[in-house]
Amino acid sequence: MKYIELVDLYEAIGATTKRLEITRYLVDVLKKTPGEVIGKVVYLTQGKLYPDFAGVEMGMAEKMALRALSAATGLPLEKVERELRSKGDIGTAAENLLKAKKQATLSEKELLVRDVYDVLDKIARITGAGSVEAKVRALSGLLADAKPVEAKYIMRTVTGKMRLGIADMTILEALARAFAGKEARKVIERAYNLTSDLGDVARTLCTDGIEGIKKYHVKTGRPARMMLAQRLESAQEILEKLGKAICEWKYDGERIQIHKQGNKISMFSRRLENITGQYPDVADLARKNIKADRAIVEGECVAVDTDTGAMLPFQVLMHRRRKYGIEKAAKEFPAHMYLFDALLIENDDLTQMSLLERREILKKSIKETNGFKLAQSLISDDVREIEAFFESAIESGCEGLILKSGASGYQAGARSWLWIKLKRSYQSKMIEPIDVVIVGALMGRGRRSGSYGALLVSVYDSERDVFPTITKAGSGFTDEDLKNLPELLSPYELKHRHARVESKLEANVWFTPAVVIEVIGDELTLSPIHMCAYNRIRKDAGIAVRFPRFTHRWRKDKAPEDATNVEEIVDMYRAQLKRIAE
Ligand code: AMP
């Protein structure tokens, strides 16, 4: 398959503001992609070479990529740098410079997807002495053969700035339509949810069809997408949905999926990154205390004060998000692990078993110690008993409870009504912060001229896979933030609204939905200009956050699809109404 066919797809996707067209373009290309490269096509389209959990990162430094461009075009480095400064995007800079050069010399080759992939893969893997030179050489060789428009996407990919904003769900939808028909979507999605490897799913589907997909199981080394919770306001309402529930403390830490294979431990975050390196202490605990030889278990990792034994808030764990000095950080900010689920023990995939059964197996499969134990739990259908348990959770530094259906299987990747969070109840005023995605910006005036005056932010509508706006956030940013925002957001900049963003407001700058921040507002109101839950509560109005403030929590642990969901906002709005009425 020719690389230009992929590039034509990217150009078409970049030009449309219609979400459905993206899927249609994808289906057309996937249908004509041969089985041996379809995995690569899927990864490349998402700006990757491998699934996230493989931990192979593309991010070549911009400086290095520019050196390769300079070598490929024969232009001095300063000129190449100037072009980047004036265009602001390394892809466009490469395209322009190569266009000028190729008119003179015309030395293009027909690049295949495989060729491009192999060179990018080599660049990502070269390490050690002389690696910089070798990477620059490999890239300049590729650029010299590329058409200008191909160079645009090669440069973006190699510097980790591909960002077409194509969600996993969009690719799954396109795969289903291309190979198996719309009705097969659920089975395909389950295979993906159990293994988190879209390229692998695409390959299997293309070569073995839907029968191959049905054989998927959880497997150590490949994270399963995590089961998530809905939210309700009172224990009473939750019990009405679940009946007798398994109630567990909702710890304020980081969710970790631990994979054990013999002595080898791998750990994955909610975003499916391999975070084993950040928690050597937890890995040790898992190695010693998981009795099974092969296991996948899940729990929450929480920072603790070793003097008092008290649990500390989530932010403390962010000290672990670093490349160097982890051992020191682990000593300074120790962590404990509270386990609540098991997906695989020895040769048994447990995901279809009930939670009650999984917990029994989990209990038998681990040795509980001070730093590695089961989450606090209670099985009850008594509101008062649950409320008392809730208070004990809060007193211990937890956020509340998660109530779970004992009968349900592990629904990988789903935010279902089988797990329901109970946090402190919503007030008439909005006291609960929400996570929003930055989708646009409005230029500032006066003291803020030259930077952004406000950010246009969205929540996530998982039903429709879009990001409707919910407010304009302008306060809570420090001068330092304001100075840094344009640069921080520049890699995501777009000329027009992203096709997955729903907005009536016009922004001065648009972004691919990527960066998640936490905001808190005074209250939720109905608004004709915001698109969150549009027409749901009242015709021609959506729900908006009034007087939003940035809480200074950058949610780097959250993907855009992990932002607060429209359904949660609708629940919060209804709860707020109820309180005002009381
Ligand atoms: P939220 O991030 O508000 O959607 O809440 C869901 C998160 O709560 C999960 O992803 C876990 O990180 C965390 N959590 C804490 N304790 C538990 C528990 N007992 N069961 C499930 N999730 C938990």
Side-chain angles (χ1 to χ4, degrees):
M1 184 180 196
K2 292 180 202 148
Y3 185 57
I4 191 70
E5 294 177 71
L6 266 193
V7 165
D8 287 343
L9 168 72
Y10 301 157
E11 289 277 285
I13 289 175
T16 182
T17 51
K18 300 203 183 81
R19 197 183 66 87
L20 293 180
E21 279 186 359
I22 296 186
T23 319
R24 193 144 45 78
Y25 297 148
L26 276 168
V27 172
D28 291 345
V29 170
L30 289 171
K31 268 190 182 156
K32 58 179 186 192
T33 305
E36 67 276 10
V37 289
I38 196 165
K40 296 184 167 111
V41 164
V42 166
Y43 299 135
L44 286 174
T45 301
Q46 293 194 307
K48 305 173 192 174
L49 295 171
Y50 296 94
D52 290 340
F53 63 80
V56 178
E57 287 206 16
M58 248 343 303
M60 184 192 224
E62 216 161 61
K63 261 226 135 79
M64 227 195 274
L66 290 180
R67 276 179 51 197
L69 183 58
S70 150
T73 52
L75 294 168
L77 189 58
E78 301 77 65
K79 182 157 185 278
V80 173
E81 284 174 341
R82 214 175 318 127
E83 182 71 15
L84 170 60
R85 269 199 306 276
S86 88
K87 291 292 168 303
D89 161 51
I90 201 160
T92 315
E95 185 181 21
N96 288 350
L97 293 177
L98 274 180
K99 239 186 230 160
K101 155 98 197 311
K102 296 241 152 144
Q103 271 167 359
T105 55
L106 281 179
S107 65
E108 288 166 11
K109 245 175 63 177
E110 203 65 84
L111 283 177
L112 300 179
V113 171
R114 194 169 3 98
D115 302 331
V116 175
Y117 184 92
D118 287 349
V119 176
L120 294 177
D121 192 31
K122 183 168 142 198
I123 293 174
R125 285 166 182 279
I126 305 174
T127 52
S131 63
V132 171
E133 290 315 314
K135 282 179 198 234
V136 170
R137 227 176 304 123
L139 180 57
S140 73
L142 186 60
L143 291 173
D145 290 338
K147 296 182 181 53
V149 67
E150 290 176 323
K152 171 166 155 188
Y153 291 97
I154 292 172
M155 286 296 260
R156 284 187 187 166
T157 310
V158 81
T159 51
K161 294 193 171 124
M162 180 61 175
R163 293 169 188 144
L164 284 176
I166 300 197
D168 299 344
M169 291 304 141
T170 313
I171 295 206
L172 283 172
E173 175 77 23
L175 282 172
R177 286 209 221 159
F179 297 109
K182 252 179 138 177
E183 50 315 324
R185 162 80 192 259
K186 278 247 141 27
V187 192
I188 301 171
E189 198 172 322
R190 178 170 161 79
Y192 170 58
N193 286 337
L194 291 178
T195 54
S196 310
D197 186 343
L198 266 182
D200 189 59
V201 169
R203 215 174 300 129
T204 306
L205 193 56
C206 184
T207 51
D208 303 335
I210 200 76
E211 288 313 310
I213 291 292
K214 286 185 184 154
K215 295 191 189 122
Y216 269 65
H217 280 292
V218 281
K219 195 172 157 193
T220 51
R222 288 197 306 203
R225 297 184 66 235
M226 296 184 190
M227 181 164 175
L228 298 170
Q230 287 284 1
R231 155 148 83 185
L232 280 176
E233 213 208 335
S234 71
Q236 180 64 44
E237 281 173 283
I238 300 181
L239 287 178
E240 278 162 22
K241 281 211 186 272
L242 295 181
K244 198 175 216 170
I246 301 177
C247 314
E248 289 171 349
W249 282 9
K250 181 179 192 302
Y251 295 90
D252 185 18
E254 175 158 25
R255 174 98 163 254
I256 300 187
Q257 195 175 84
I258 304 178
H259 291 222
K260 178 170 186 271
Q261 174 81 51
N263 259 335
K264 184 171 172 355
I265 300 288
S266 328
M267 299 194 291
F268 301 97
S269 71
R270 215 170 110 161
R271 296 189 71 168
L272 311 174
E273 303 138 322
N274 189 325
I275 49 168
T276 319
Q278 288 174 31
Y279 296 105
D281 45 346
V282 179
D284 257 352
L285 288 168
R287 203 173 287 116
K288 288 192 189 114
N289 300 311
I290 299 178
K291 292 190 261 181
D293 195 48
R294 220 158 77 93
I296 302 179
V297 297
E298 246 179 50
E300 190 89 350
C301 172
V302 184
V304 285
D305 180 330
T306 36
D307 291 336
T308 61
M311 289 193 271
L312 301 171
F314 156 83
Q315 290 97 309
V316 178
L317 283 182
M318 289 300 106
H319 292 286
R320 301 284 193 109
R321 296 219 158 214
R322 58 172 80 183
K323 279 214 173 99
Y324 307 103
I326 286 286
E327 296 292 338
K328 189 162 161 271
K331 284 222 170 64
E332 237 172 289
F333 307 100
H336 284 176
M337 191 71 203
Y338 298 93
L339 298 153
F340 50 74
D341 221 315
L343 283 67
L344 176 97
I345 295 292
E346 303 302 3
N347 290 321
D348 299 325
D349 180 333
L350 313 183
T351 53
Q352 312 266 27
M353 286 185 188
S354 74
L355 178 57
L356 279 167
E357 290 170 292
R358 299 203 301 280
R359 279 165 35 110
E360 277 311 305
I361 298 174
L362 172 65
K363 200 166 170 186
K364 283 196 209 124
S365 311
I366 64 166
K367 192 165 101 212
E368 288 197 76
T369 64
N370 186 34
F372 194 82
K373 56 178 137 188
L374 298 175
Q376 286 281 352
S377 68
L378 166 82
I379 298 184
S380 172
D381 57 1
D382 180 312
V383 171
R384 258 198 277 159
E385 192 179 29
I386 294 174
E387 279 169 359
F389 192 55
F390 176 88
E391 289 307 326
S392 71
I394 297 282
E395 268 163 39
S396 308
C398 288
E399 291 181 305
L401 301 178
I402 299 205
L403 273 58
K404 302 179 179 175
S405 147
S408 86
Y410 188 93
Q411 302 216 335
R415 189 182 286 286
S416 70
W417 289 102
L418 299 165
W419 289 15
I420 305 175
K421 309 176 247 198
L422 176 61
K423 291 195 184 173
R424 277 233 178 273
S425 57
Y426 307 132
Q427 308 287 315
S428 65
K429 296 270 175 196
M430 191 180 153
I431 53 159
E432 186 90 22
I434 60 171
D435 297 320
V436 292
V437 194
I438 302 175
V439 298
L442 294 110
M443 295 313 288
R445 286 193 218 119
R447 208 165 64 84
R448 289 193 179 182
S449 66
S451 180
Y452 300 143
L455 297 175
L456 188 59
V457 297
S458 290
V459 285
Y460 182 52
D461 183 336
S462 54
E463 282 287 302
R464 297 167 45 243
D465 189 32
V466 289
F467 295 94
T469 64
I470 187 162
T471 196
K472 270 188 317 197
S475 77
F477 295 94
T478 62
D479 287 348
E480 181 81 14
D481 291 334
L482 289 173
K483 209 171 86 214
N484 294 337
L485 270 174
E487 195 181 325
L488 181 99
L489 292 168
S490 75
Y492 308 102
E493 230 176 281
L494 295 172
K495 289 207 182 66
H496 53 74
R497 179 178 56 74
H498 191 274
R500 292 169 73 210
V501 170
E502 291 187 328
S503 174
K504 280 198 189 180
L505 286 172
E506 270 305 315
N508 298 114
V509 193
W510 293 101
F511 305 109
T512 301
V515 179
V516 179
I517 59 172
E518 188 184 84
V519 297
I520 186 158
D522 270 11
E523 58 180 341
L524 294 172
T525 54
L526 294 179
S527 148
I529 56 172
H530 286 290
M531 297 300 292
C532 167
Y534 202 72
N535 282 336
R536 287 274 295 274
I537 307 280
R538 187 190 297 156
K539 196 166 170 305
D540 300 329
I543 303 180
V545 173
R546 216 159 96 92
F547 300 129
R549 293 175 298 282
F550 174 42
T551 61
H552 233 262
R553 286 177 81 168
W554 300 92
R555 295 305 307 243
K556 291 197 184 131
D557 60 319
K558 296 209 166 179
E561 291 81 12
D562 291 326
T564 302
N565 215 282
V566 169
E567 293 308 318
E568 291 180 69
I569 300 287
V570 170
D571 286 341
M572 283 172 86
Y573 182 77
R574 294 210 170 109
Q576 181 186 292
L577 282 188
K578 222 171 8 174
R579 269 179 205 279
I580 295 170
E582 271 165 12

